[in-house]
Amino acid sequence: MTKQQTITAGVDGSPNSLDAAGWAAREALRRDLPLHVVHACDPPAEDNRLPEFDVPFHREAGALGRAVQQLTRAYPALGILDEQVTGRPTGALLAAARSSALLVLGSHGSGALSRVLVGSVALAVAARASCPVALVRAGHRPEGEHRGSAAAHHNPVVLGLDLDRPGDELLEYAFDAAASRQAPLHVVHVWTAPLVHSADALEPMPEKERLLAAELSSWRHKFPGTEVTERVVHGLAGHHLVEAASTADLLVIGRCVPTGPHLGQTAHSAIHHSRCPVVIVPHY
């Protein structure tokens, strides 16, 4: 995985995006990286230069300053870079992703602009960004984590792993996330029986467990201080991953780049139902 320069948070002025920016700040402290805070919005059209159009625009344009002020007070040791972009949020965030180790967005919220972010921007960015994207629920704060502190107790990190397309980038991110939190890593592989049954499909569990153990072997050696548990289950991947992450600090899933710029059913299920932040990692 290429080492990039910043943790980037996209803000839109909503409480949800401020919560996500706070999570991004703690992640930046944990990794000893600066925080890049980005706000993008479209200006009103030239033929709409009337007070009723300009005031909402200027109010949203002040969202960046308010976010930086709040983050500076909460995390005085953190280096913060701010950037105001005039234009479409999706394009601005995808551009910022190219120089980011992680891009953080709010995944749920209220208000017209927040609904736009969740519905069209957050999902579009998560499906196309060149770096991992974390989607954070409003109000999320792991138990035991204190304001301004990066060194706190954390619940497990859960990794959903497809053995057909495991991806080194995905595995490295999950192991690194667990190690930086001094947290255990729970690796879950979910399989579904084929439509046409075969002799191999009758008892696939032992073979899948063997393949999973083999896939994780080298990573265990690279991260000897990380406690790793592994589990193979049958059923719907989204359901089992959300269940496994019910007490987790983080859920990590992959997006296979060769399949195109879209999110699959498992990612959608995780984003909409997981109570912890979800990180979507592009990989080959």
Side-chain angles (χ1 to χ4, degrees), residues 12 89 111-123:
D12 66 353
L113 185 57
S114 182
R115 283 195 295 270
V116 170
L117 178 66
V118 172
S120 63
V121 177
L123 293 178

Side-chain angles (χ1 to χ4, degrees), residues 17 56 109 125 132-134 204 230 246 267:
S17 75
V125 171
V133 177
E230 53 201 70
S246 61

Side-chain angles (χ1 to χ4, degrees), residues 17 46 49 58 70 121 147 209 253:
S17 75
E46 288 296 328
R49 290 294 184 185
H58 289 300
Q70 178 175 314
V121 177
R147 181 180 289 269
E209 290 173 345
I253 56 179

